[in-house]
Amino acid sequence: MNPSLKSKPSTQGGAGRPRPTESSTNSQPNRQPLGITGRPTIPSRPSGPIVRPPSNRFQLSTTTVSRQPALTSRPSKTAIASRKPVPGNVRDRLAPGSRGVKRKSETPQPAFSDDDGSSSASDSYSDSDMSTRKRAKSSISSVDTHVASRRILVANGAAETAKFIHSRTLTASKLLYKPAMIAEDSAAAKVGLQYPSACGKEYFELKILKRQSDDEYKPMDDIEETIRIICHHYLPERVKRTIKPGRHEIVTGPYETVYSKRLLRAKNEGDVEKYIDIIEDFNKMLKALVEDGSMQRELRGRATLPLDWFERIHNQIYSRTVSLHVESLKQYETGTDDVYGELLPSLVSKIINVTQLSHDQIFVDLGSGVGNIVLQTALQVGCESWGIEQMPNPCKAAELQKAEFAGRTKLWGLSTGKVNLINGSFFDCPEIDEVLKRADVVLVNNQVFSAATNDNLLAKFLDLKEGAKVVSLKPFVPRDHRITKTNMNSMYGMFRTEVHEYFDNSVSWVAYGGEYHVAIKDSSLLRKFGQENGMG
């Protein structure tokens, strides 16, 4: 999941979770790697083990990554026995009026063509005949344009208050931080930063780390990157063209980078007063745009939230909440379905595009960990987003993120979809069962799930509405499955599948790319086979 905040741990619950590693011996307790300065270049499809430093926010220490992820955990026999049995007969669910099949209106279906063009009756029928294998392009900068015609990005009304955690609360430690650009025994300078809303300023201490580290929060990097993102995504073009360097300053490059470059120059010169003056100049310009309505008008013309914009906001949220409790997130039992890893924001953004998730739909993450993906869909798409996680420590961290998310998105002047987080098992939660009946896109990171767990999940998905999409790392329907007269009662016949590719650095547990799967609820496949063979 960025220039200022790095290395978040593997915190997405439910599945695909990598085996834990021993934390570094010199790590600070209850501290989390925060600053992101870019990920190392990793060759795709390595021929042997790769030793790499922490390259994303979900990895806590240096690990050796082999070509085949060590994700073979299976649930205990007791856990499997406690789960609901798989229904044996699917044909009963296809009767008129049965739940999940007959509806007043159906989600529009994308068009799929049959490779051989044949419509004659046969003894076998493959759901793969109507599926497509797609290779996703590396276009992750924003949500697809289908969202643009409907999503309203700007927050309604003019919120004047927002509850959020100020940066200065993160830099209070005298063991980690010292004043920047002044004597170490002096009091650190403080400055307020204006955001593109009427919610006031966030207050920062101008401090630097006593020991250089890429793993700790850097408040001045946070300031500089936030200003860059605001200038790039919020300012009208007419305003960008008026941004000029200060007197006797030479700054080249795009208009929106002028403030960031001026701040960097002042920092390198050790001129704290100049640094503060530049921020105050930015604050004055931005506040005037908020007060005269220019900022709101600019946002009303936008409907998408590019990935760098989302990551800037979410990195601020994460560093002020989850990072302070990272040690507790490593407390889980190995060898179970609770071993987990996470899909990184770039892959989630691709999934949003592939599934055409829009603001008027419902997204569900089964095994949501600290809620990162739930927050991403709620902010990047604006849809109603649900997550369920059974492990207590990730659930506590998720609630902290949810609270900060509400205040910080107001600070940034943005609208979001409703966020719903549940502490419990998705196999035993009536509330999530009801939500699944309405869901449009369901994500389950089932990388380490056993066959029994996947089958139990597939049985739950029979209650999805027609056209609902299930995104997973392992397929729920075998690739070679074909509907025949002898397997018409199989659950597999209720879904058609797509296979998509993800690229390097898209998941937390391996460096190289792979595949993810989209299963689409489509009972017409089974009905068509029955009609063609005189069985219905």
Side-chain angles (χ1 to χ4, degrees):
M1 341 190 154
N2 337 48
S4 66
L5 304 170
K6 186 175 183 177
S7 261
K8 297 184 180 179
S10 175
T11 50
Q12 188 67 23
R17 300 173 173 176
R19 297 185 182 278
T21 59
E22 294 183 1
S23 56
S24 175
T25 56
N26 61 357
S27 62
Q28 294 288 340
N30 297 322
R31 301 294 302 180
Q32 167 62 8
L34 300 176
I36 287 185
T37 58
R39 299 188 178 95
T41 301
I42 302 174
S44 60
R45 302 295 175 190
S47 58
I50 303 173
V51 179
R52 61 189 178 101
S55 60
N56 56 60
R57 60 184 183 172
F58 310 102
Q59 193 171 338
L60 299 176
S61 61
T62 303
T63 58
T64 300
V65 184
S66 62
R67 287 200 60 184
Q68 296 297 326
L71 300 172
T72 58
S73 305
R74 292 177 179 268
S76 65
K77 294 181 179 179
T78 303
I80 293 175
S82 65
R83 290 169 178 163
K84 298 178 181 179
V86 178
N89 194 329
V90 176
R91 293 185 68 185
D92 294 340
R93 293 178 179 264
L94 300 180
S98 62
R99 182 172 53 180
V101 176
K102 184 177 181 181
R103 296 183 179 272
K104 293 181 179 179
S105 61
E106 297 182 351
T107 303
Q109 298 284 323
F112 292 88
S113 60
D114 197 334
D115 291 340
D116 59 12
S118 173
S119 60
S120 60
S122 62
D123 287 339
S124 68
Y125 188 79
S126 173
D127 55 302
S128 299
D129 291 340
M130 295 185 68
S131 67
T132 58
R133 178 180 177 86
K134 301 179 181 178
R135 294 189 175 270
K137 295 181 180 180
S138 183
S139 175
I140 60 176
S141 61
S142 67
V143 180
D144 202 0
T145 54
H146 71 273
V147 182
S149 62
R150 293 174 282 178
R151 168 92 187 273
I152 299 176
L153 194 60
V154 63
N156 292 326
E160 296 183 356
T161 59
K163 186 177 181 180
F164 57 89
I165 299 171
H166 289 266
S167 167
R168 64 188 177 193
T169 64
L170 306 179
T171 56
S173 172
K174 294 183 179 180
L175 296 176
L176 287 174
Y177 295 95
K178 64 181 180 181
M181 300 177 282
I182 57 176
E184 186 169 341
D185 57 354
S186 303
K190 299 178 177 62
V191 66
L193 179 64
Q194 177 70 43
Y195 281 77
S197 69
C199 293
K201 298 177 180 178
E202 178 177 11
Y203 289 93
F204 293 75
E205 290 182 320
L206 300 186
K207 289 184 175 181
I208 57 175
L209 292 164
K210 287 187 174 181
R211 292 186 178 88
Q212 186 60 35
S213 171
D214 291 333
D215 296 336
E216 294 292 345
Y217 174 69
K218 300 178 179 67
M220 297 172 73
D221 287 0
D222 193 357
I223 291 172
E224 292 157 20
E225 182 61 12
T226 297
I227 288 177
R228 188 190 70 80
I229 289 292
I230 291 174
C231 288
H232 181 67
H233 291 295
Y234 284 82
L235 299 188
E237 286 299 321
R238 62 174 177 81
V239 176
K240 290 180 183 179
R241 290 192 293 269
T242 66
I243 299 176
K244 304 293 184 184
R247 182 177 296 180
H248 307 306
E249 290 181 334
I250 300 176
V251 178
T252 60
Y255 298 113
E256 57 263 33
T257 65
V258 169
Y259 279 110
S260 297
K261 290 180 177 179
R262 291 178 64 195
L263 288 170
L264 180 61
R265 182 184 292 261
K267 184 168 61 176
N268 292 338
E269 293 173 353
D271 192 336
V272 66
E273 292 184 359
K274 183 178 180 181
Y275 194 92
I276 293 174
D277 286 344
I278 295 169
I279 294 175
E280 293 298 344
D281 183 36
F282 169 81
N283 289 345
K284 181 179 178 181
M285 178 270 298
L286 192 62
K287 186 176 181 180
L289 293 174
V290 171
E291 290 178 347
D292 70 12
S294 297
M295 194 67 63
Q296 290 77 7
R297 286 191 295 273
E298 180 69 15
L299 285 183
R300 287 191 187 100
R302 305 283 297 276
T304 61
L305 195 77
L307 186 58
D308 65 335
W309 192 350
F310 162 76
E311 288 189 307
R312 173 92 298 268
I313 299 170
H314 186 239
N315 280 329
Q316 288 187 326
I317 294 169
Y318 194 102
S319 67
R320 288 153 175 80
T321 55
V322 180
S323 293
L324 306 179
H325 307 277
V326 64
E327 292 300 318
S328 68
L329 300 177
K330 295 185 289 184
Q331 300 171 9
Y332 57 84
E333 184 179 355
T334 60
T336 69
D337 281 351
D338 290 329
V339 178
Y340 61 79
E342 183 158 304
L343 313 188
L344 303 186
S346 60
L347 177 53
V348 176
S349 190
K350 291 177 184 178
I351 290 171
I352 289 171
N353 284 328
V354 165
T355 60
Q356 298 187 357
L357 181 65
S358 63
H359 84 289
D360 55 354
Q361 294 183 326
I362 297 174
F363 171 83
V364 180
D365 185 2
L366 299 178
S368 53
V370 300
N372 289 343
I373 297 178
V374 176
L375 299 184
Q376 182 169 353
T377 53
L379 179 54
Q380 201 170 357
V381 178
C383 63
E384 179 182 342
S385 296
W386 290 77
I388 181 169
E389 169 61 46
Q390 66 179 353
M391 297 181 67
N393 290 336
C395 286
K396 292 175 184 177
E399 288 299 328
L400 294 174
Q401 281 214 103
K402 180 181 176 182
E404 180 68 9
F405 177 83
R408 193 153 290 271
T409 51
K410 287 182 181 178
L411 190 64
W412 282 81
L414 298 173
S415 67
T416 72
K418 185 177 181 181
V419 173
N420 306 272
L421 298 172
I422 300 174
N423 182 357
S425 168
F426 48 69
F427 281 119
D428 187 24
C429 180
E431 185 177 8
I432 210 68
D433 289 342
E434 292 301 313
V435 173
L436 285 172
K437 296 174 186 177
R438 301 185 292 118
D440 296 281
V441 177
V442 179
L443 173 67
V444 54
N445 186 353
N446 63 339
Q447 183 67 40
V448 298
F449 280 6
S450 67
T453 301
N454 280 326
D455 282 345
N456 284 331
L457 270 172
L458 188 60
K460 292 182 74 70
F461 296 154
L462 294 177
D463 287 332
L464 294 174
K465 64 185 180 181
E466 289 290 295
K469 299 169 184 176
V470 180
V471 182
S472 60
L473 271 292
K474 287 165 60 176
F476 283 101
V477 179
R479 292 191 183 186
D480 59 352
H481 176 71
R482 299 178 67 85
I483 300 175
T484 66
K485 293 178 180 179
T486 59
N487 68 8
M488 283 193 67
N489 289 337
S490 170
M491 295 181 294
Y492 299 147
M494 297 283 286
F495 298 87
R496 54 183 166 84
T497 60
E498 299 174 356
V499 182
H500 298 265
E501 184 180 58
Y502 63 81
F503 297 99
D504 294 353
N505 301 317
S506 294
V507 298
S508 65
W509 56 90
V510 291
Y512 51 84
E515 294 177 344
Y516 65 96
H517 306 265
V518 181
I520 305 169
K521 176 73 176 297
D522 187 0
S523 59
S524 68
L525 299 172
L526 202 54
R527 287 196 295 269
K528 181 178 179 181
F529 177 81
Q531 292 168 359
E532 290 176 347
N533 289 273
M535 303 174 65

